[in-house]
Amino acid sequence: DEGAGQAQADPGDRLHRMLRGETPALSTATADPQLPAGTIRVTVVDEHDAPVPSAQVEVGMLGQQAARDRKTASTGADGVAEFTRLLTGSSQAYRVKLSYQGALFASAPFRLPADRGMTVWLRRLPVTTNRAQLLQVSGYYELQIRDELLHVNQEAQLMNLGDQARE
């Protein structure tokens, strides 16, 4: 019997845990006084918190006048990649991300403090195409006519009830 002896995750239980805020974080970014200024250290782990070696990590940079740049690096056997000699202060914002099997895992944007580096932690989940685990929590459409053009904005907040990322 396939799956015998294995506990199946109850989507209802997972939903209740999510609504109570009891699900593990997918990313964190924290100032780290042990890292030199201008440094971002990224750790990538899998769904079991094991290091992910050879993951291609990208740091996107947004500077003044909307100037954009990016740098890439691969994680080592310990799941860590490091970016150095980056600009600090309020003139530059950073976002760490990695793509995996069509899914994007990313940190929230942050700025590098002038006196320390940042440690970023990303959890990479398995990827599925199963839509049954998605729940739309809220959403709206906004239609505007400006300068004789129709502008359409759509926003949706989705909740993933499964233990996998959706591509």
Side-chain angles (χ1 to χ4, degrees), residues 81-146:
E82 197 164 277
F83 300 86
T84 59
R85 298 184 186 157
L86 301 171
L87 295 176
T88 63
S90 62
S91 66
Q92 192 86 11
Y94 297 91
R95 183 176 183 217
V96 177
K97 60 185 177 179
L98 85 106
S99 295
Y100 177 67
Q101 296 181 347
L104 179 67
F105 301 89
S107 70
F110 60 88
R111 298 191 189 283
L112 276 173
D115 63 342
R116 61 189 68 193
M118 293 288 284
T119 295
V120 176
W121 181 85
L122 292 176
R123 180 187 307 271
R124 189 190 78 185
L125 299 175
V127 178
T128 182
T129 57
N130 181 0
R131 295 180 184 185
Q133 297 294 317
L134 287 180
L135 172 67
Q136 183 167 344
V137 178
S138 65
Y140 77 92
Y141 285 94
E142 178 182 44
L143 304 173
Q144 295 179 352
I145 298 176
R146 293 189 308 232

Side-chain angles (χ1 to χ4, degrees), residues 34-46:
Q34 296 183 354
L35 289 177
T39 301
I40 298 174
R41 179 176 292 153
V42 181
T43 302
V44 180
V45 297
D46 66 15

